[in-house]
Amino acid sequence: MYFIFSCLLPQNELQIMPQEIEPEIIDLTALSESESEEEDEELDSEGSSEESSSDDDLREVPVNPTSREQLRDAIRELGEDRLRRVLSSLVDAIPEVEETLTKQLLTLKRKSQDVIYRWETCTNCGGEFDMATQREEEECSFHPGELEVDEDEFADWDEFCHGPKDSAHNRGEYPENFKWTCCGGNGKAEGCVRSVHRPILRKRRRV
């Protein structure tokens, strides 16, 4: 039927039905995975580059007068706990540092030759002294008595308004308003007793 009908129609009126085009299916999964892998590689590369740059920056600090002053500032600002950890790690890692700090911080007791701390605080005057040096008479000056309020000097002091007379603040700001029970001198007076420095007794581990 189709052949007969087409013969009856003029050739210019004969229309050929277009064939159906099957849609092309594009797999985006592989593309997205590839792009994701490339992005991850870029991020890893950037991260490793930043870490490497950071490490390089830390290692490249030049040693010169400027950096030396900055190092001293850092030591002054560093917390005591971290400073102790840094020194301990240097002692473990560098023999020269251990030797230097041993000379600076330790000494031998004269009679027993026991290893002791070199620097101590005097139990009498509160000053720091060197145990490695020979003790000298009258090197320590202190008051064996107690520091009390001089009521005559605080005659106009109103405790309801200004607070208690005997306080750490007042002892520091107005030492002349206090007196020693041992000699009667005020808070500014030099120690009335002279002797040698004596370390504060404390428990320690013997080396």
Side-chain angles (χ1 to χ4, degrees), residues 103-144:
K103 292 178 180 179
Q104 290 293 325
L105 303 180
L106 298 177
T107 188
L108 294 175
K109 205 168 184 178
R110 294 184 179 277
K111 293 182 179 181
S112 64
Q113 294 297 297
D114 291 336
V115 178
I116 59 175
Y117 299 153
R118 178 175 174 179
W119 302 97
E120 290 283 5
T121 301
C122 180
T123 187
N124 292 323
C125 68
E128 185 182 63
F129 67 98
D130 187 356
M131 290 287 290
T133 60
Q134 183 71 37
R135 301 275 62 81
E136 298 179 1
E137 292 295 333
E138 300 186 356
E139 65 180 354
C140 175
S141 173
F142 66 99
H143 290 282

Side-chain angles (χ1 to χ4, degrees), residues 162-180:
H162 305 293
K165 301 172 185 176
D166 193 357
S167 66
H169 174 76
N170 286 345
R171 289 189 178 203
E173 290 293 323
Y174 315 109
E176 66 278 2
N177 291 3
F178 295 82
K179 63 182 179 180
W180 289 100

